[in-house]
Each structure stands twice: as structure tokens, then as C-alpha cells.
Amino acid sequence: VYNDHVAQHFFTTCRREVVHHQFERYPSEKCKNKRMRSFLYFGELEFWVGVNVETLKLLRVLDVGRLRVPLKIYGDLIHLRYLGIDSFTLRGIAAIISKLRFLQTLEAYSEYPIEETIDLRKLTSLRHVIGQFVGELLIGDAANLQTLRFIYSDSWNKLKPELLINLRDLEIYEDFDRRVSVSWASLTKLRSLRVLKLYYLRLESEEAVRSTDVISPSLESVTLEGITFEEDTMPFLQKMPRLEDLILKGCHYSGGKMSVSEQGFGRLRKLQLV
């Protein structure tokens, strides 16, 4: 862990390095620690000279936080499992991100959306994808995917939910004025899903869903914000046997009343209507 007390000493043999944003004397443009396995930067500084990853062939964890740094990745980081990066920097390597074929976690930090096309179809080991992916997000064989936050509705509607057999955490987002439709049927195919958050969508129910005795048997938390309901959604939600948290924020339903049966919501602990 670098700080001012060890500023005069830089190590070329340590495997893990941590740098705070107030430590400005880290010679990242000169330091080429070929044995490094993990590099973590944390703090509030957004602009920095960056860390040289060209020679870090053994790197497994690279987390530069919100730093907007120039990264040169040529696809030979075969050991890289975790990449935490600002979305501004991600745009610069969007064309080559698909070469990190053994990557397990991609986390893009930013207050701004990622409008570029991100192709993850060759990254079959991915477990967690986190970022504001408003552009096209291409996902192929995602049997190992557990977290997807968040994806735009257009990209979601192009996926095959039945292939996401291990997905546990899902957020789908849409612009406030578009209100693109997403069907309940596509969501009920996610048999391992535990946390679901939907923003500014139009939900469509189908006969196949209405006739289902149990919907999403593993779902524990549902957050719906700015959703327009075509019909009363309570009959669907109350069938979820493990649902504990239900949050509805700014939702719209023109049908008047919503009804819940006496047998509905057997495990519900938190109900928030805003």
C-alpha cells in the first residue's frame, strides 16, 4: 500500500499494489512490475497518468475506479478476471474488450451512460456485468452470468432468457419518454433470479403467465420504478413464493384498484408504495 511514508521506495516484486488518490508520486509511467497480480486505485481524483498494463501478463485484478486513464490492452491478459474501469475509459477499449476472453467481472463506474456497442459474446466466463449500458450490449453464451446491471430494454429483448440459467441479479432500464415494452414471460424464464429492478418500462402480461401457478420461484426482491401497467400486476407478484421485498415507485395503472388474495405474498416483509 503506497503512501507518503514509502514514497521513496517502489517495489518491482510485490504482487498486489494499492494506491490512494492523494499519493501523486506513484511513478506509474515508469513502474513495470511484471509480477503484479492485483492493482487497486481508490479515491476521488479522476485524472491521472494511469498504470502501465502492457507488460503485466500475470494481472488478475485491475481496478482503477473512476480514473480516466489511457489503457493499452492488446488482449493478451489471459489471467485477468476482474476489470473495474470508468466508462469513459471503457469507450476507448470497447473494440478490444472482447479479447479478454477469461474475464469474470466487468464493472464500469460512471455517472454517464455507455452509448457504444459492447461486445461480450466471446467472454463465456463472465459472471458479473455492471454499468450503464444504454448502447447495444451483446451477450452470447451467458450460462455463468449471475449479475446484469443494468441493460437497456432493446438489448434485453434481443437476448434469450432461457439461456441465463444462473442469473440472480437483473436491472433493466429505459428512457422516461420511450416506455418500451418488456413481457413478464421473458422474466419468468429466469429460474435463479433473486433481485429484479425495472425502470420506466411498459410491462405486458400474457396468458401463459396468468395460468402459471408459481412465478419466479427464487425471486426475493422486486423494485418497479416508473412502470406503466397494462393490467393489475398483483396476481402475478403474489404468486412468487419467496418474495420478501416489493417496492413500487411512481408506477401508473389506469385500471383503478389492485387486488391481493388472502393466500398471496406468503413471505412478504417489506411493501413500499411511493
Side-chain angles (χ1 to χ4, degrees), residues 57 204 218:
K57 306 298 184 181
E204 294 181 351
S218 59

Side-chain angles (χ1 to χ4, degrees), residues 66-256:
R66 296 183 180 275
L67 277 178
R68 297 183 178 183
V69 297
L71 287 181
K72 295 181 180 179
I73 299 177
Y74 297 104
D76 51 359
L77 297 178
I78 61 174
H79 297 285
L80 192 64
R81 300 295 186 266
Y82 180 97
L83 177 60
I85 189 173
D86 182 85
S87 65
F88 181 84
T89 305
L90 179 61
R91 296 171 185 175
I93 63 172
I96 59 176
I97 195 70
S98 61
K99 296 181 180 180
L100 304 175
R101 58 186 184 276
F102 296 110
L103 192 67
Q104 295 180 359
T105 299
L106 173 61
E107 186 165 3
Y109 310 99
S110 184
E111 298 177 357
Y112 305 98
I114 303 169
E115 299 178 352
E116 286 75 11
T117 298
I118 305 298
D119 190 352
L120 305 177
R121 288 175 293 184
K122 295 182 179 180
L123 279 62
T124 57
S125 299
L126 269 179
R127 288 175 170 80
H128 309 283
V129 178
I130 303 171
Q132 299 185 34
F133 300 100
V134 301
E136 189 171 13
L137 184 63
L138 303 177
I139 300 177
D141 183 4
N144 295 315
L145 193 62
Q146 299 177 17
T147 304
L148 182 55
R149 303 199 306 258
F150 59 74
I151 182 174
Y152 245 39
S153 56
D154 288 339
S155 295
W156 171 257
N157 288 332
K158 295 178 182 179
L159 295 180
K160 296 180 179 180
E162 60 273 13
L163 300 180
L164 305 176
I165 58 177
N166 289 307
L167 190 62
R168 301 177 182 179
D169 191 336
L170 172 64
E171 292 187 25
I172 306 177
Y173 189 88
E174 187 51 73
D175 288 333
F176 178 80
D177 55 346
R178 290 189 61 194
R179 306 279 176 158
V180 175
S181 297
V182 171
S183 69
W184 274 112
S186 67
L187 301 174
T188 58
K189 296 177 182 179
L190 305 172
R191 310 307 294 177
S192 300
L193 193 64
R194 297 180 181 179
V195 179
L196 174 65
K197 296 182 180 180
L198 306 177
Y199 301 93
Y200 306 112
L201 299 170
R202 183 183 297 276
L203 289 178
E204 294 181 351
S205 59
E206 301 177 7
E207 183 63 32
V209 178
R210 288 195 290 269
S211 61
T212 302
D213 293 331
V214 177
I215 297 178
S216 302
S218 59
L219 201 55
E220 299 175 357
S221 176
V222 173
T223 299
L224 306 177
E225 182 172 345
I227 303 297
T228 299
F229 298 115
E230 298 292 340
E231 58 183 86
D232 185 3
T233 187
M234 290 302 174
F236 311 136
L237 297 174
Q238 69 180 2
K239 291 182 180 180
M240 300 178 183
R242 298 185 60 182
L243 187 63
E244 297 182 1
D245 298 337
L246 176 59
I247 302 174
L248 304 180
K249 296 182 179 180
C251 296
H252 176 70
Y253 171 54
S254 59

Side-chain angles (χ1 to χ4, degrees), residues 4-22:
D4 287 337
H5 299 292
V6 295
Q8 67 275 20
H9 302 291
F10 295 99
F11 305 95
T12 59
T13 58
C14 66
R15 295 187 176 187
R16 299 174 179 86
E17 296 189 8
V18 179
V19 179
H20 187 262
H21 76 101
Q22 292 182 342

